[in-house]
Amino acid sequence: MPQLVPAVVPAGRLGRSEQPSLPVSAGLFLRPWELDDAPFVYEAYQDPSIQHWTRRRADCEIETREWIARWRQGWRAETDAHWAMARASDGAVIGWAALCHLELAVGRAECRYWVLPPARGQGVAPAGVSALAYWALDTVGLHRIEIAHPMANEAACRVAMKSGFPTESTRRSAQLHADGWHDVHVHARVQQGLDDLPDEPPPDRVLGRVQHRLHRRGKDRLRDRIQGRGRSRPFDSK
């Protein structure tokens, strides 16, 4: 059956290439998960807050190793993409960020994230989520990324706002957790036209100079596409 609307992102844009590591800001980066990260994932899912808001727990490292294997398969299948958030100084993993429910044809995904307790309140999650969003919208070419969190999860709401995801709507009684049904807050970022892009990235100092360069490069690439001077090309991690 012929499609009347071309795919926003062609099939194969992700799965035919290796999943890249992404710079975040001074001292942070996102990298693909490795099977050897299973002990870390197991420990992370012992945290009560992560258990509550993700609605799952890990019973053993064998289980988390299987999760990581599925996360890696998701990249090849182009259904989702998961990264470990790590410190550049020692490589320690301090969080998780992912694009879930990827639909390349319509240019849409949902962003999810968590950070371990010792790293919370330091701007880690907003920096990681913002860097991931810039990459997904500019380099990959997605059109829309959503963040949907229970309204009772105020920390997730703060991260979304600081990451440049404005509030869009509320879904009534949309998620079931251990303590019952929750209304869900929806935030979204969409690919913008050239005139809508600000000259500077969001005023969050944690993004640092690296994130500023990513923002400027994104504007330059979008300008080229709008004016017909450039072609969309496979992403890279530079």
Side-chain angles (χ1 to χ4, degrees), residues 48-108:
S49 178
I50 291 176
Q51 285 186 7
H52 183 73
W53 296 122
T54 63
R55 297 176 293 177
R56 69 191 308 181
R57 71 179 186 189
D59 291 329
C60 64
E61 292 180 12
I62 294 176
E63 184 177 14
T64 55
R65 189 179 179 88
E66 293 172 350
W67 293 359
I68 294 172
R70 289 197 296 270
W71 293 347
R72 293 169 64 87
Q73 291 169 0
W75 175 266
R76 294 299 181 193
E78 299 184 321
T79 56
D80 47 80
H82 301 254
W83 280 265
M85 198 178 305
R87 289 196 302 255
S89 59
D90 56 7
V93 179
I94 56 177
W96 164 80
L99 297 174
C100 301
H101 305 300
L102 265 170
E103 298 178 87
L104 297 184
V106 295
R108 184 169 57 218

Short mmCIF file of all heavy atoms in Angstrom, two decimals, residues 48-108:
data_model
loop_
_atom_site.label_atom_id
_atom_site.label_comp_id
_atom_site.label_asym_id
_atom_site.label_seq_id
_atom_site.Cartn_x
_atom_site.Cartn_y
_atom_site.Cartn_z
N PRO A 48 14.03 2.76 46.18
CA PRO A 48 12.56 2.81 46.28
C PRO A 48 11.92 3.79 45.30
O PRO A 48 10.85 3.51 44.75
CB PRO A 48 12.32 3.23 47.73
CG PRO A 48 13.54 2.78 48.47
CD PRO A 48 14.67 2.97 47.51
N SER A 49 12.56 4.94 45.08
CA SER A 49 11.98 5.92 44.17
C SER A 49 11.97 5.42 42.74
O SER A 49 10.97 5.56 42.01
CB SER A 49 12.76 7.24 44.27
OG SER A 49 12.22 8.19 43.36
N ILE A 50 13.08 4.82 42.30
CA ILE A 50 13.13 4.27 40.95
C ILE A 50 12.11 3.15 40.80
O ILE A 50 11.41 3.06 39.79
CB ILE A 50 14.56 3.79 40.62
CG1 ILE A 50 15.50 5.01 40.50
CG2 ILE A 50 14.59 2.98 39.33
CD1 ILE A 50 16.96 4.65 40.27
N GLN A 51 12.00 2.29 41.80
CA GLN A 51 11.01 1.22 41.76
C GLN A 51 9.60 1.78 41.62
O GLN A 51 8.79 1.29 40.83
CB GLN A 51 11.09 0.37 43.03
CG GLN A 51 12.27 -0.58 43.09
CD GLN A 51 12.20 -1.48 44.31
OE1 GLN A 51 11.20 -1.49 45.03
NE2 GLN A 51 13.25 -2.25 44.55
N HIS A 52 9.32 2.82 42.41
CA HIS A 52 7.95 3.34 42.44
C HIS A 52 7.56 3.93 41.09
O HIS A 52 6.47 3.62 40.56
CB HIS A 52 7.81 4.41 43.52
CG HIS A 52 6.42 4.94 43.65
ND1 HIS A 52 5.39 4.22 44.21
CD2 HIS A 52 5.88 6.13 43.28
CE1 HIS A 52 4.28 4.93 44.18
NE2 HIS A 52 4.54 6.10 43.62
N TRP A 53 8.42 4.78 40.52
CA TRP A 53 8.01 5.51 39.33
C TRP A 53 8.25 4.74 38.04
O TRP A 53 7.69 5.08 37.00
CB TRP A 53 8.69 6.87 39.29
CG TRP A 53 8.29 7.76 40.42
CD1 TRP A 53 9.09 8.33 41.35
CD2 TRP A 53 6.96 8.19 40.75
NE1 TRP A 53 8.36 9.07 42.24
CE2 TRP A 53 7.04 9.01 41.90
CE3 TRP A 53 5.70 7.96 40.18
CZ2 TRP A 53 5.92 9.58 42.48
CZ3 TRP A 53 4.58 8.53 40.77
CH2 TRP A 53 4.70 9.34 41.90
N THR A 54 9.12 3.71 38.07
CA THR A 54 9.26 2.88 36.87
C THR A 54 8.39 1.64 36.94
O THR A 54 8.27 0.91 35.96
CB THR A 54 10.73 2.44 36.67
OG1 THR A 54 11.14 1.62 37.78
CG2 THR A 54 11.64 3.63 36.54
N ARG A 55 7.81 1.36 38.10
CA ARG A 55 6.89 0.24 38.30
C ARG A 55 7.55 -1.12 38.09
O ARG A 55 6.91 -2.07 37.64
CB ARG A 55 5.67 0.39 37.40
CG ARG A 55 4.83 1.63 37.68
CD ARG A 55 3.69 1.77 36.70
NE ARG A 55 4.17 2.04 35.36
CZ ARG A 55 3.39 2.15 34.30
NH1 ARG A 55 2.08 1.99 34.43
NH2 ARG A 55 3.89 2.42 33.11
N ARG A 56 8.85 -1.19 38.40
CA ARG A 56 9.51 -2.49 38.29
C ARG A 56 10.69 -2.54 39.25
O ARG A 56 11.18 -1.51 39.70
CB ARG A 56 9.99 -2.75 36.86
CG ARG A 56 11.15 -1.87 36.41
CD ARG A 56 11.43 -1.96 34.93
NE ARG A 56 11.58 -3.33 34.47
CZ ARG A 56 11.85 -3.64 33.19
NH1 ARG A 56 11.99 -2.69 32.30
NH2 ARG A 56 11.98 -4.90 32.82
N ARG A 57 11.12 -3.78 39.56
CA ARG A 57 12.30 -3.97 40.37
C ARG A 57 13.14 -5.07 39.73
O ARG A 57 12.65 -5.82 38.86
CB ARG A 57 11.95 -4.35 41.80
CG ARG A 57 11.38 -5.76 41.93
CD ARG A 57 11.06 -6.11 43.36
NE ARG A 57 10.67 -7.51 43.48
CZ ARG A 57 10.17 -8.04 44.58
NH1 ARG A 57 9.97 -7.26 45.64
NH2 ARG A 57 9.84 -9.32 44.61
N ALA A 58 14.37 -5.18 40.14
CA ALA A 58 15.25 -6.24 39.66
C ALA A 58 15.52 -7.21 40.80
O ALA A 58 15.86 -6.80 41.90
CB ALA A 58 16.56 -5.64 39.15
N ASP A 59 15.36 -8.48 40.52
CA ASP A 59 15.57 -9.50 41.55
C ASP A 59 16.98 -10.08 41.54
O ASP A 59 17.39 -10.70 42.52
CB ASP A 59 14.55 -10.63 41.38
CG ASP A 59 13.14 -10.18 41.73
OD1 ASP A 59 13.00 -9.29 42.60
OD2 ASP A 59 12.19 -10.71 41.13
N CYS A 60 17.72 -9.93 40.44
CA CYS A 60 19.07 -10.46 40.37
C CYS A 60 19.80 -9.82 39.19
O CYS A 60 19.18 -9.20 38.31
CB CYS A 60 19.06 -11.98 40.23
SG CYS A 60 18.30 -12.56 38.70
N GLU A 61 21.12 -9.98 39.17
CA GLU A 61 21.91 -9.40 38.08
C GLU A 61 21.67 -10.11 36.76
O GLU A 61 21.83 -9.50 35.69
CB GLU A 61 23.40 -9.44 38.45
CG GLU A 61 23.75 -8.50 39.60
CD GLU A 61 25.22 -8.54 39.95
OE1 GLU A 61 26.01 -9.12 39.16
OE2 GLU A 61 25.60 -7.99 41.00
N ILE A 62 21.31 -11.38 36.80
CA ILE A 62 20.99 -12.08 35.55
C ILE A 62 19.82 -11.40 34.85
O ILE A 62 19.80 -11.22 33.62
CB ILE A 62 20.67 -13.56 35.83
CG1 ILE A 62 21.91 -14.29 36.35
CG2 ILE A 62 20.13 -14.24 34.58
CD1 ILE A 62 21.67 -15.73 36.75
N GLU A 63 18.85 -10.97 35.65
CA GLU A 63 17.69 -10.29 35.09
C GLU A 63 18.08 -8.96 34.44
O GLU A 63 17.65 -8.66 33.32
CB GLU A 63 16.65 -10.04 36.18
CG GLU A 63 15.36 -9.42 35.67
CD GLU A 63 14.32 -9.25 36.77
OE1 GLU A 63 14.69 -9.38 37.96
OE2 GLU A 63 13.16 -9.00 36.44
N THR A 64 18.92 -8.16 35.12
CA THR A 64 19.30 -6.88 34.54
C THR A 64 20.21 -7.05 33.32
O THR A 64 20.19 -6.22 32.42
CB THR A 64 19.99 -5.99 35.59
OG1 THR A 64 21.11 -6.68 36.17
CG2 THR A 64 19.02 -5.62 36.69
N ARG A 65 20.97 -8.12 33.28
CA ARG A 65 21.76 -8.41 32.09
C ARG A 65 20.83 -8.66 30.89
O ARG A 65 21.11 -8.21 29.77
CB ARG A 65 22.66 -9.62 32.34
CG ARG A 65 23.68 -9.89 31.24
CD ARG A 65 24.54 -11.09 31.60
NE ARG A 65 25.52 -11.40 30.57
CZ ARG A 65 26.72 -10.88 30.50
NH1 ARG A 65 27.12 -10.01 31.43
NH2 ARG A 65 27.55 -11.22 29.53
N GLU A 66 19.72 -9.33 31.14
CA GLU A 66 18.73 -9.56 30.08
C GLU A 66 18.08 -8.25 29.65
O GLU A 66 17.81 -8.04 28.47
CB GLU A 66 17.68 -10.55 30.56
CG GLU A 66 18.22 -11.96 30.78
CD GLU A 66 17.22 -12.89 31.45
OE1 GLU A 66 16.16 -12.37 31.91
OE2 GLU A 66 17.48 -14.10 31.52
N TRP A 67 17.83 -7.35 30.63
CA TRP A 67 17.29 -6.03 30.27
C TRP A 67 18.23 -5.31 29.32
O TRP A 67 17.80 -4.75 28.31
CB TRP A 67 17.10 -5.17 31.52
CG TRP A 67 16.05 -5.63 32.48
CD1 TRP A 67 15.21 -6.70 32.35
CD2 TRP A 67 15.72 -5.00 33.72
NE1 TRP A 67 14.39 -6.79 33.45
CE2 TRP A 67 14.67 -5.77 34.30
CE3 TRP A 67 16.21 -3.90 34.40
CZ2 TRP A 67 14.11 -5.43 35.53
CZ3 TRP A 67 15.65 -3.56 35.63
CH2 TRP A 67 14.62 -4.31 36.19
N ILE A 68 19.51 -5.29 29.68
CA ILE A 68 20.49 -4.58 28.86
C ILE A 68 20.56 -5.18 27.46
O ILE A 68 20.65 -4.46 26.46
CB ILE A 68 21.88 -4.60 29.53
CG1 ILE A 68 21.83 -3.78 30.83
CG2 ILE A 68 22.95 -4.05 28.59
CD1 ILE A 68 23.09 -3.90 31.68
N ALA A 69 20.49 -6.50 27.37
CA ALA A 69 20.49 -7.15 26.05
C ALA A 69 19.29 -6.68 25.23
O ALA A 69 19.43 -6.40 24.02
CB ALA A 69 20.48 -8.66 26.21
N ARG A 70 18.13 -6.54 25.86
CA ARG A 70 16.94 -6.05 25.14
C ARG A 70 17.10 -4.58 24.77
O ARG A 70 16.66 -4.16 23.68
CB ARG A 70 15.68 -6.27 25.97
CG ARG A 70 15.28 -7.73 26.09
CD ARG A 70 13.84 -7.86 26.56
NE ARG A 70 13.65 -7.34 27.90
CZ ARG A 70 13.77 -8.08 29.00
NH1 ARG A 70 14.10 -9.36 28.92
NH2 ARG A 70 13.55 -7.54 30.19
N TRP A 71 17.71 -3.79 25.66
CA TRP A 71 17.95 -2.38 25.33
C TRP A 71 18.83 -2.27 24.09
O TRP A 71 18.57 -1.43 23.22
CB TRP A 71 18.63 -1.67 26.51
CG TRP A 71 17.77 -1.53 27.73
CD1 TRP A 71 16.42 -1.74 27.81
CD2 TRP A 71 18.19 -1.15 29.04
NE1 TRP A 71 15.98 -1.51 29.09
CE2 TRP A 71 17.03 -1.15 29.88
CE3 TRP A 71 19.42 -0.82 29.60
CZ2 TRP A 71 17.10 -0.82 31.22
CZ3 TRP A 71 19.48 -0.50 30.94
CH2 TRP A 71 18.33 -0.50 31.75
N ARG A 72 19.85 -3.09 24.01
CA ARG A 72 20.75 -3.06 22.86
C ARG A 72 20.03 -3.53 21.59
O ARG A 72 20.24 -2.98 20.50
CB ARG A 72 21.99 -3.90 23.13
CG ARG A 72 22.87 -3.31 24.25
CD ARG A 72 23.94 -4.29 24.69
NE ARG A 72 24.88 -4.61 23.63
CZ ARG A 72 25.97 -3.91 23.35
NH1 ARG A 72 26.27 -2.83 24.07
NH2 ARG A 72 26.78 -4.26 22.37
N GLN A 73 19.16 -4.51 21.73
CA GLN A 73 18.39 -4.97 20.57
C GLN A 73 17.42 -3.90 20.09
O GLN A 73 17.13 -3.79 18.89
CB GLN A 73 17.62 -6.24 20.94
CG GLN A 73 18.51 -7.46 21.15
CD GLN A 73 17.76 -8.62 21.77
OE1 GLN A 73 16.56 -8.53 22.05
NE2 GLN A 73 18.45 -9.73 22.02
N GLY A 74 16.92 -3.08 21.04
CA GLY A 74 15.99 -2.02 20.67
C GLY A 74 16.60 -1.03 19.70
O GLY A 74 15.91 -0.49 18.82
N TRP A 75 17.91 -0.78 19.85
CA TRP A 75 18.59 0.14 18.91
C TRP A 75 18.57 -0.46 17.51
O TRP A 75 18.25 0.24 16.54
CB TRP A 75 20.03 0.37 19.37
CG TRP A 75 20.82 1.19 18.39
CD1 TRP A 75 21.63 0.73 17.39
CD2 TRP A 75 20.85 2.62 18.31
NE1 TRP A 75 22.17 1.78 16.69
CE2 TRP A 75 21.71 2.95 17.23
CE3 TRP A 75 20.24 3.64 19.04
CZ2 TRP A 75 21.98 4.27 16.87
CZ3 TRP A 75 20.51 4.96 18.68
CH2 TRP A 75 21.36 5.26 17.62
N ARG A 76 18.92 -1.72 17.37
CA ARG A 76 18.95 -2.36 16.06
C ARG A 76 17.55 -2.44 15.44
O ARG A 76 17.39 -2.28 14.23
CB ARG A 76 19.54 -3.77 16.17
CG ARG A 76 21.01 -3.79 16.56
CD ARG A 76 21.87 -3.09 15.55
NE ARG A 76 23.28 -3.11 15.90
CZ ARG A 76 24.20 -2.37 15.33
NH1 ARG A 76 23.86 -1.53 14.36
NH2 ARG A 76 25.47 -2.45 15.69
N ALA A 77 16.55 -2.68 16.30
CA ALA A 77 15.17 -2.77 15.81
C ALA A 77 14.54 -1.40 15.60
O ALA A 77 13.44 -1.30 15.03
CB ALA A 77 14.33 -3.59 16.78
N GLU A 78 15.20 -0.35 16.09
CA GLU A 78 14.72 1.03 15.99
C GLU A 78 13.38 1.22 16.69
O GLU A 78 12.52 1.99 16.25
CB GLU A 78 14.63 1.46 14.52
CG GLU A 78 15.99 1.41 13.81
CD GLU A 78 15.93 1.91 12.39
OE1 GLU A 78 14.94 1.62 11.70
OE2 GLU A 78 16.88 2.59 11.96
N THR A 79 13.22 0.53 17.82
CA THR A 79 12.02 0.69 18.63
C THR A 79 12.27 1.53 19.88
O THR A 79 11.34 2.12 20.42
CB THR A 79 11.49 -0.68 19.08
OG1 THR A 79 12.54 -1.38 19.77
CG2 THR A 79 11.05 -1.50 17.87
N ASP A 80 13.52 1.58 20.35
CA ASP A 80 13.88 2.41 21.49
C ASP A 80 15.40 2.51 21.53
O ASP A 80 16.11 1.76 20.85
CB ASP A 80 13.33 1.85 22.81
CG ASP A 80 13.59 0.36 22.95
OD1 ASP A 80 14.71 -0.01 23.32
OD2 ASP A 80 12.66 -0.42 22.71
N ALA A 81 15.89 3.45 22.33
CA ALA A 81 17.33 3.68 22.43
C ALA A 81 17.66 4.10 23.85
O ALA A 81 17.08 5.06 24.36
CB ALA A 81 17.77 4.76 21.45
N HIS A 82 18.57 3.36 24.49
CA HIS A 82 18.88 3.56 25.90
C HIS A 82 20.36 3.93 26.06
O HIS A 82 21.23 3.33 25.43
CB HIS A 82 18.61 2.28 26.69
CG HIS A 82 17.19 1.82 26.61
ND1 HIS A 82 16.30 1.95 27.65
CD2 HIS A 82 16.50 1.21 25.61
CE1 HIS A 82 15.13 1.45 27.30
NE2 HIS A 82 15.22 0.99 26.07
N TRP A 83 20.61 4.88 26.96
CA TRP A 83 21.98 5.29 27.27
C TRP A 83 22.22 5.26 28.78
O TRP A 83 21.32 5.54 29.57
CB TRP A 83 22.24 6.72 26.80
CG TRP A 83 22.52 6.87 25.35
CD1 TRP A 83 23.75 6.92 24.74
CD2 TRP A 83 21.56 7.05 24.30
NE1 TRP A 83 23.60 7.09 23.38
CE2 TRP A 83 22.28 7.17 23.08
CE3 TRP A 83 20.16 7.10 24.28
CZ2 TRP A 83 21.64 7.35 21.85
CZ3 TRP A 83 19.53 7.26 23.06
CH2 TRP A 83 20.26 7.39 21.86
N ALA A 84 23.47 4.97 29.13
CA ALA A 84 23.93 5.16 30.50
C ALA A 84 24.48 6.57 30.61
O ALA A 84 25.21 7.04 29.74
CB ALA A 84 25.02 4.14 30.83
N MET A 85 24.11 7.27 31.67
CA MET A 85 24.63 8.60 31.95
C MET A 85 25.84 8.42 32.87
O MET A 85 25.72 7.82 33.94
CB MET A 85 23.56 9.46 32.61
CG MET A 85 23.83 10.95 32.57
SD MET A 85 22.47 11.89 33.33
CE MET A 85 21.06 11.29 32.38
N ALA A 86 27.00 8.92 32.45
CA ALA A 86 28.23 8.64 33.18
C ALA A 86 29.07 9.90 33.40
O ALA A 86 28.94 10.88 32.66
CB ALA A 86 29.06 7.60 32.43
N ARG A 87 29.89 9.84 34.43
CA ARG A 87 30.84 10.92 34.70
C ARG A 87 32.08 10.71 33.84
O ARG A 87 32.61 9.60 33.72
CB ARG A 87 31.25 10.94 36.17
CG ARG A 87 30.17 11.39 37.13
CD ARG A 87 30.77 11.76 38.48
NE ARG A 87 31.49 10.64 39.07
CZ ARG A 87 31.03 9.91 40.08
NH1 ARG A 87 29.85 10.18 40.62
NH2 ARG A 87 31.74 8.92 40.58
N ALA A 88 32.58 11.80 33.25
CA ALA A 88 33.77 11.70 32.42
C ALA A 88 35.02 11.45 33.25
O ALA A 88 35.98 10.84 32.77
CB ALA A 88 33.93 12.98 31.59
N SER A 89 35.03 11.89 34.49
CA SER A 89 36.23 11.81 35.31
C SER A 89 36.64 10.38 35.61
O SER A 89 37.82 10.02 35.56
CB SER A 89 36.04 12.58 36.62
OG SER A 89 34.92 12.05 37.34
N ASP A 90 35.66 9.52 35.92
CA ASP A 90 35.98 8.14 36.29
C ASP A 90 35.12 7.10 35.58
O ASP A 90 35.27 5.90 35.82
CB ASP A 90 35.85 7.95 37.81
CG ASP A 90 34.47 8.32 38.33
OD1 ASP A 90 33.57 8.61 37.51
OD2 ASP A 90 34.27 8.33 39.57
N GLY A 91 34.23 7.53 34.70
CA GLY A 91 33.37 6.60 33.97
C GLY A 91 32.23 6.03 34.77
O GLY A 91 31.51 5.16 34.28
N ALA A 92 32.05 6.48 36.01
CA ALA A 92 31.00 5.94 36.87
C ALA A 92 29.62 6.26 36.29
O ALA A 92 29.33 7.40 35.90
CB ALA A 92 31.11 6.51 38.28
N VAL A 93 28.75 5.25 36.24
CA VAL A 93 27.39 5.42 35.74
C VAL A 93 26.53 5.99 36.87
O VAL A 93 26.51 5.47 37.98
CB VAL A 93 26.81 4.10 35.24
CG1 VAL A 93 25.38 4.29 34.75
CG2 VAL A 93 27.68 3.53 34.12
N ILE A 94 25.82 7.07 36.57
CA ILE A 94 25.01 7.73 37.60
C ILE A 94 23.54 7.86 37.19
O ILE A 94 22.74 8.38 37.97
CB ILE A 94 25.57 9.13 37.94
CG1 ILE A 94 25.66 9.99 36.68
CG2 ILE A 94 26.93 9.01 38.61
CD1 ILE A 94 26.15 11.41 36.96
N GLY A 95 23.19 7.40 35.99
CA GLY A 95 21.80 7.53 35.58
C GLY A 95 21.51 6.84 34.26
O GLY A 95 22.38 6.19 33.66
N TRP A 96 20.28 6.99 33.82
CA TRP A 96 19.76 6.36 32.61
C TRP A 96 18.90 7.36 31.87
O TRP A 96 18.14 8.12 32.48
CB TRP A 96 18.94 5.14 33.01
CG TRP A 96 18.02 4.54 31.98
CD1 TRP A 96 18.35 3.70 30.96
CD2 TRP A 96 16.59 4.70 31.90
NE1 TRP A 96 17.24 3.32 30.26
CE2 TRP A 96 16.13 3.92 30.81
CE3 TRP A 96 15.66 5.42 32.64
CZ2 TRP A 96 14.79 3.86 30.45
CZ3 TRP A 96 14.32 5.36 32.28
CH2 TRP A 96 13.90 4.58 31.19
N ALA A 97 19.03 7.39 30.55
CA ALA A 97 18.17 8.23 29.71
C ALA A 97 17.83 7.42 28.47
O ALA A 97 18.68 6.70 27.94
CB ALA A 97 18.86 9.53 29.34
N ALA A 98 16.60 7.53 28.00
CA ALA A 98 16.17 6.69 26.89
C ALA A 98 15.13 7.39 26.04
O ALA A 98 14.39 8.26 26.51
CB ALA A 98 15.60 5.37 27.41
N LEU A 99 15.09 6.99 24.78
CA LEU A 99 14.01 7.33 23.87
C LEU A 99 13.19 6.06 23.68
O LEU A 99 13.67 5.08 23.11
CB LEU A 99 14.56 7.81 22.52
CG LEU A 99 15.39 9.09 22.55
CD1 LEU A 99 16.00 9.36 21.18
CD2 LEU A 99 14.54 10.29 23.00
N CYS A 100 11.98 6.07 24.19
CA CYS A 100 11.11 4.89 24.14
C CYS A 100 9.98 5.12 23.13
O CYS A 100 9.70 6.25 22.73
CB CYS A 100 10.53 4.61 25.52
SG CYS A 100 11.78 4.31 26.79
N HIS A 101 9.35 4.03 22.74
CA HIS A 101 8.24 4.09 21.77
C HIS A 101 8.65 4.89 20.54
O HIS A 101 7.90 5.75 20.05
CB HIS A 101 6.99 4.70 22.41
CG HIS A 101 6.56 4.00 23.66
ND1 HIS A 101 6.20 2.67 23.69
CD2 HIS A 101 6.44 4.44 24.94
CE1 HIS A 101 5.87 2.32 24.93
NE2 HIS A 101 6.01 3.36 25.70
N LEU A 102 9.83 4.59 20.02
CA LEU A 102 10.31 5.27 18.83
C LEU A 102 9.43 4.95 17.63
O LEU A 102 9.15 3.78 17.34
CB LEU A 102 11.75 4.85 18.53
CG LEU A 102 12.88 5.71 19.05
CD1 LEU A 102 14.21 5.00 18.87
CD2 LEU A 102 12.90 7.06 18.37
N GLU A 103 9.01 5.98 16.92
CA GLU A 103 8.27 5.83 15.67
C GLU A 103 8.94 6.73 14.64
O GLU A 103 8.59 7.90 14.48
CB GLU A 103 6.81 6.22 15.86
CG GLU A 103 6.05 5.35 16.86
CD GLU A 103 4.62 5.83 17.03
OE1 GLU A 103 3.76 5.39 16.23
OE2 GLU A 103 4.37 6.64 17.93
N LEU A 104 9.92 6.16 13.93
CA LEU A 104 10.70 6.97 13.00
C LEU A 104 9.83 7.53 11.88
O LEU A 104 10.04 8.66 11.43
CB LEU A 104 11.85 6.15 12.41
CG LEU A 104 12.92 5.66 13.40
CD1 LEU A 104 14.03 4.96 12.65
CD2 LEU A 104 13.46 6.81 14.24
N ALA A 105 8.88 6.75 11.41
CA ALA A 105 8.08 7.17 10.27
C ALA A 105 7.33 8.47 10.56
O ALA A 105 7.16 9.31 9.67
CB ALA A 105 7.09 6.07 9.88
N VAL A 106 6.86 8.63 11.81
CA VAL A 106 6.14 9.86 12.17
C VAL A 106 7.00 10.80 12.99
O VAL A 106 6.53 11.85 13.45
CB VAL A 106 4.83 9.53 12.92
CG1 VAL A 106 3.88 8.77 12.02
CG2 VAL A 106 5.11 8.73 14.18
N GLY A 107 8.27 10.43 13.22
CA GLY A 107 9.21 11.33 13.89
C GLY A 107 8.90 11.58 15.34
O GLY A 107 9.05 12.71 15.82
N ARG A 108 8.52 10.52 16.08
CA ARG A 108 8.07 10.72 17.44
C ARG A 108 8.74 9.73 18.40
O ARG A 108 9.08 8.61 18.02
CB ARG A 108 6.55 10.54 17.51
CG ARG A 108 5.92 10.82 18.86
CD ARG A 108 4.42 10.88 18.73
NE ARG A 108 3.86 9.66 18.15
CZ ARG A 108 2.84 9.62 17.29
NH1 ARG A 108 2.28 10.74 16.91
NH2 ARG A 108 2.39 8.48 16.82
#
